[in-house]
Amino acid sequence: MTEVRITHIGGPTTLIEAAGWRLLTDPTFDPPGRRYSFGWGTSSRKTAGPAVDAAELPPLDAVLLTHDHHADNLDTAGRSLLPTADLVLTTPTGARRLGGNAHGLAPWTTRRLEHPGRPTIEITATPARHGPPFSRPIVGDVTGFALRWEGQRHGALWISGDTVLYDGVREVGRRLDVGTAVLHLGGVRFPVTGPLRYTLTTPRAVDLCRVLRPDTVLPVHYEGWSHFHEGRRTVEAELAKAPADIRTRFRWLPVGSAAQIQV
């Protein structure tokens, strides 16, 4: 059985230490207080800073960047961190914008990380849609990531990225055996677009888990920004209505300290 250390730094940002590899997701290290424009009349204010300073991070083998064009997934300090990693994996459009060490993965394509003395990690891009149908031209491309390596007992470690529930993420459950799911929650919405949602709500996350059947679900990206409408208290209240066999799979990561996850 493989043991993974995951440190939730805040928002979508996690440090994943697995089988000798160090991977960082969606770097956000700016202090709180600033308001960021997301385009098309939408914006959000950062309300909480990172629990770990960027200077405290170990050397990074790779950054897994679900998308580069929204500051709640890549802010100014996070962007300055990218060149320090050996590799940045993101969407093809994001890789073209970033250049340098960024490599784009289209959905269901794979990049292998190899190093002497460590198991090879296969990182597969998975579909994500950051809003309602036909919103992609406005909200841009997003990706999830599935991580697999020799020795896993419970299936892939899957990072959803910012997505709603749609056929693309249901396909993950059909094509992959997911052991641990890192789900971006928060039920994002904006005044200018009314009730439309741009990330998973808790009920939709429960529906997704009926398809995935993961052993462990790790919520992230649910607090720390003003555009989130489902923080931890709301998520917990909604989970209380879910069937016990799904509710008990959810595990809250402590912010700022490493948690041991069996994969």
Side-chain angles (χ1 to χ4, degrees), residues 30-79:
D30 284 358
R34 178 178 167 187
R35 179 169 289 276
Y36 300 79
S37 172
F38 293 159
W40 295 84
T42 63
S43 66
S44 184
R45 184 173 60 86
K46 190 170 187 179
T47 60
V52 177
D53 189 85
E56 301 175 53
L57 294 174
L60 299 173
D61 296 296
V63 170
L64 307 181
L65 180 59
T66 65
H67 57 302
D68 69 301
H69 51 281
H70 292 153
D72 60 324
N73 296 83
L74 181 66
D75 59 18
T76 303
R79 191 175 293 268

Side-chain angles (χ1 to χ4, degrees), residues 4-48:
V4 174
R5 286 163 48 95
I6 301 182
T7 304
H8 187 195
I9 294 171
T13 310
T14 64
L15 175 64
I16 300 172
E17 299 173 277
W21 296 95
R22 295 187 180 100
L23 313 173
L24 187 72
T25 67
D26 286 356
T28 54
F29 288 92
D30 284 358
R34 178 178 167 187
R35 179 169 289 276
Y36 300 79
S37 172
F38 293 159
W40 295 84
T42 63
S43 66
S44 184
R45 184 173 60 86
K46 190 170 187 179
T47 60

Side-chain angles (χ1 to χ4, degrees), residues 143-236:
T143 189
F145 296 101
L147 281 58
R148 292 175 289 184
W149 61 89
E150 186 177 352
Q152 286 177 321
R153 296 287 185 88
H154 299 292
L157 170 61
W158 179 59
I159 301 153
S160 70
D162 286 7
T163 187
V164 295
L165 180 60
Y166 78 114
D167 285 345
V169 289
R170 291 189 183 96
E171 188 181 4
V172 174
R174 294 192 292 267
R175 294 181 60 159
L176 297 177
D177 176 19
V178 175
T180 300
V182 180
L183 294 188
H184 290 210
L185 300 183
V188 166
R189 68 176 188 262
F190 299 96
V192 70
T193 53
L196 296 178
R197 302 286 182 153
Y198 295 87
T199 60
L200 288 168
T201 62
T202 309
R204 297 292 77 76
V206 169
D207 290 342
L208 177 57
C209 289
R210 290 190 174 100
V211 177
L212 296 177
R213 305 302 297 178
D215 289 282
T216 305
V217 181
L218 305 175
V220 298
H221 212 22
Y222 51 85
E223 290 177 333
W225 293 80
S226 62
H227 63 308
F228 288 125
H229 287 264
E230 290 191 9
R232 177 168 174 170
R233 289 180 62 183
T234 301
V235 174
E236 289 179 325

Side-chain angles (χ1 to χ4, degrees), residues 126-141:
T126 59
R129 195 184 74 205
H130 201 353
F134 311 112
S135 64
R136 196 179 303 273
I138 297 174
V139 300
D141 292 333

